[in-house]
Amino acid sequence: MQYLFLIGSAPDAPAETEADDGPTIEEWAREVYEERGAGKMGDRLRPASEATTVRIRRGETLVTDGPFVEGSEYIGGFDVIECENLDEAVEIAAKHPMARHGLIEIRPVWSLGL
Amino acid sequence: MTSAAEVRAAVAATHRSDWARIVGGLIRFTGDWTLAEDSAQEAFETALQRWERDGIPPAPGAWLTTVARNRAIDRMRRVATEQRVLRSAAALDPAEPDADDDRLRLLFTCCHPALGLEARVALTLRSVAGLTTAEIARAFLVPEPTMAQRLVRAKAKIAHAGIPYRVPPPELLGERLPGVLAVLYLLFTEGYSATSGDAVVREPLAEEAIRLARLLRELMPRETEVSALLALMLLHHARRAGRMGESGDAVPIDLQDRALWDAVAIDEAVTLLRRSGSRGPYALQASIAARHATSPSWEATDFEGIVSDYDALLLLEPSPVVALNRAIAIGMADGAAAGLDAVRQVADAPQHLALAAEADFLRRLGRREEAAAMYRSAIAVARTAPNRRYFEARLREVET
């Protein structure tokens, strides 16, 4: 199975000190990408204020400033993870430091098979 | 020829004992929930006709497993699936040793935390208990298409999100088992809380929950909270005849006729609870229920023991409802004045319950006018008609 992790900040996240106990992002990346080979690609994202949205309407290309859905301003990073099943994906996500400081949305990849 | 009544009884009995095992096995081999359930359903329908003509087979479960497997293979051939899957399905042996695991696998997958609570409950009833979509829809008072869609969505999520079809490995079991127990208990309380019009429709839900808890206990005999949950359900269910008054309204426990309680079920539950040795949340609730169920009268109830059970429960699961019940028990153990004090100290309790408790203690202290005012407030916020009628009856008592 392949999953996209959307790494988000959350308003209800616990105070920094309480959430500091656990792997750092460097430790997480080393385990998930190097040791397990589950991570395929991933990185941080520039803030939503620097997003650009593109759509074509009536043959015209419309370019607008900002993200396309409300809520996506919370997305600060992503990872593409390949693993056995949802339980393993949850286990990997739970070790990510942003699971403590924010939240992680796990979306199964719906492959077009191209 | 076998009589239609005998056949119906035999099919119903096999449905109860073998449905989950048959569906669980078919899912393991085909990976397709809908196909597995449809094939099993068809096999039971076939049994109704065939057994009347040919007689009830000596091993009904094995007969149904074979027919269901053949139906599944037919269906898969029709959609021309992979040869590999077909071969393994054909090898499904009805007597295979890990048939128990299939039922556990099914139950744990239905109760996976990545599914919504409503979906978990519906799926458990459909796949493990073998209720039809129409029956589940009736039990939860929603239109059948709504329930059908809920089930389709849940199965789609299992397939597409990669929810594994398995009993969680030991390191996950500790965090997953409580989720399964919560679904079973919710199922039970859903059946139990119906006190008026819907009772006839919903009692089967409580019985289904008890059956599933028995199954889980059989499969995981070493998990003490499973036994405790079964004991808790049996204790509540044992009092069902006493709960229902002539008007169809619930009778509060202090006014119930204890001769109507099911002594056999109470005995079984008390033994289960003692043997479990658990002091988990279900065991503590069962212990409270057992102190009520084994007391010869309301007055003779061991309220000190109940208070100490509530103390322990509050540490495990702090909640305003538990705190309020503890306060009420204090009032029973130490007198109405102590109870009134304790009730008034509970923060955030559901208003209708807190008002009713205060009113009852005021009434017992002879402070009739304050009690009447409190009952009137309780009537205003009562959530169900039987609740309201109960407060109205008590109000009339203090007004005369």
Side-chain angles (χ1 to χ4, degrees), chain A residues 22-39:
Chain A
T24 62
I25 188 65
E26 291 80 12
E27 289 163 346
W28 182 84
R30 196 180 315 117
E31 180 192 332
V32 173
Y33 279 79
E34 288 166 34
E35 289 161 25
R36 291 167 75 149

Side-chain angles (χ1 to χ4, degrees), chain B residues 20-30 92 102 165:
Chain B
R21 192 179 50 72
I22 292 171
V23 171
L26 288 173
I27 293 173
R28 178 157 47 86
F29 281 104
T30 65
L92 175 54
D102 279 334
Y165 183 54

Side-chain angles (χ1 to χ4, degrees), chain A residues 1 3 84-88 90 106 108-110, chain B residues 112 114 157 159-164 166 172 176:
Chain A
M1 292 283 305
Y3 299 93
E84 190 57 34
N85 54 42
L86 186 62
D87 283 353
E88 192 183 351
V90 169
I106 301 175
V109 172
W110 189 2
Chain B
H112 196 281
K157 174 142 191 201
H160 298 146
I163 291 178
R166 65 172 187 188
L172 281 181
R176 287 290 169 77

Side-chain angles (χ1 to χ4, degrees), chain B residues 28 91 108 161 175 183 226:
Chain B
R28 178 157 47 86
F108 272 97
E175 65 187 63
V183 166
V226 178

